[in-house]
Amino acid sequence: METERKGPNGETINTHRHRALGSDSRVEILGLVRAAAGGLTAADVAAHTGQHLSTTRAHLDRLVHAGLLVKARASGGAPGRPAWRYRATAADPAPAPYRALATALLDHLPGAAGGDVREAAARVGQDWGRRLAAVSPPQDDPVDTVSAVLTGLGFEPERQPAQPDGAVEVHLRTCPFLELVGQNPDAMCGLHLGVVRGALGHHGVGGDDAVLEPFGAPHACVIRLPLPTTAPPADRGPARRPAPGSSQAPPGAAG
């Protein structure tokens, strides 16, 4: 069993990281990924370094295991199963009480999912999101409810200008769970998507069409909320009865 050692100033030496950076190739790859705002796929890295794709993947996974990179699937809206995209982790993963809960979820899912880990995690996250929304300050706008829940979890959500189709985008500039995302990206991203759907559900808005796109924007993951663009019709008072002998049907009557 490997134990942590102390450096000359009393700091903990992360042996996984030191060993991961003991290769010039991995140091070069880490620099490439850190310099890429939107992250890189293994194919991107292989093209830059000239290494074989399988060798590149092995180096990338070693850096993920060391906590220096995080990987997630980013489709960019393209059909099919997207490739893994790698991005550098934050310098300081944020400790939070929720980390213990998220870790317990990762330990529990392999035996409970029985299939799609991401969907199983999303179902757990949905219940969690409803509870978090219930104790958040009441909001008139469902997007504000989602933002309040995500802010409480340690994300930095930023609402973007409305899209032409009425959809709303919220960019997540930080992720306090990046280390756990690196361990099981499908589960953690599914958990966070479920939280968003649960917060919307608490607000009375269906969240099944909400999407979480890892690395969907430079320096941010993207949440897309296809909210309704039209408000309910204003109350115009009681319907007027048609005049006697008139063929006009009352408003709302079937034709």
Side-chain angles (χ1 to χ4, degrees):
M1 181 177 178
E2 194 172 77
T3 58
E4 291 182 335
R5 294 181 294 150
K6 298 292 183 179
N9 296 322
E11 77 279 9
T12 299
I13 297 177
N14 188 319
T15 53
H16 284 303
R17 294 194 177 193
H18 279 262
R19 289 176 180 174
L21 296 176
S23 160
D24 290 340
S25 293
R26 286 193 289 274
V27 171
E28 179 187 5
I29 289 172
L30 180 61
L32 286 171
V33 177
R34 282 178 170 171
L40 295 173
T41 65
D44 294 332
V45 174
H48 277 88
T49 62
Q51 294 176 341
H52 192 278
L53 185 57
S54 60
T55 302
T56 300
R57 288 195 180 110
H59 284 318
L60 287 166
D61 286 341
R62 182 73 180 270
L63 291 168
V64 169
H65 180 68
L68 294 163
L69 296 181
V70 63
K71 66 178 183 179
R73 297 192 187 277
S75 66
R81 189 171 179 81
W84 291 114
R85 184 170 290 272
Y86 298 82
R87 179 176 282 176
T89 59
D92 299 310
Y98 301 111
R99 290 177 63 81
L101 178 59
T103 303
L105 171 68
L106 292 181
D107 293 338
H108 176 69
L109 274 177
D116 191 332
V117 172
R118 186 181 177 95
E119 283 304 315
R123 288 192 293 272
V124 175
Q126 199 157 343
D127 292 337
W128 190 19
R130 287 195 190 96
R131 292 170 185 165
L132 293 174
V135 297
S136 296
Q139 306 286 346
D140 294 330
D141 187 336
V143 181
D144 290 339
T145 298
V146 170
S147 294
V149 167
L150 293 173
T151 298
L153 286 173
F155 294 91
E156 293 182 7
E158 292 183 0
R159 184 171 182 165
Q160 304 301 302
Q163 303 295 305
D165 60 358
V168 175
E169 285 192 359
V170 177
H171 288 190
L172 304 181
R173 297 292 178 183
T174 62
C175 176
F177 302 94
L178 269 182
E179 182 180 348
L180 297 177
V181 171
Q183 295 176 27
N184 195 331
D186 285 337
M188 290 307 298
C189 291
L191 177 70
H192 298 153
L193 174 60
V195 167
V196 170
R197 290 175 174 174
L200 290 172
H202 174 78
H203 204 284
V205 176
D208 289 347
D209 293 330
V211 173
L212 171 59
E213 178 72 19
F215 307 160
H219 306 295
C221 295
V222 176
I223 294 172
R224 295 189 177 93
L225 307 174
L227 301 177
T229 57
T230 56
D235 184 7
R236 298 181 181 179
R240 292 180 299 172
R241 295 180 177 274
S246 169
S247 60
Q248 179 184 357

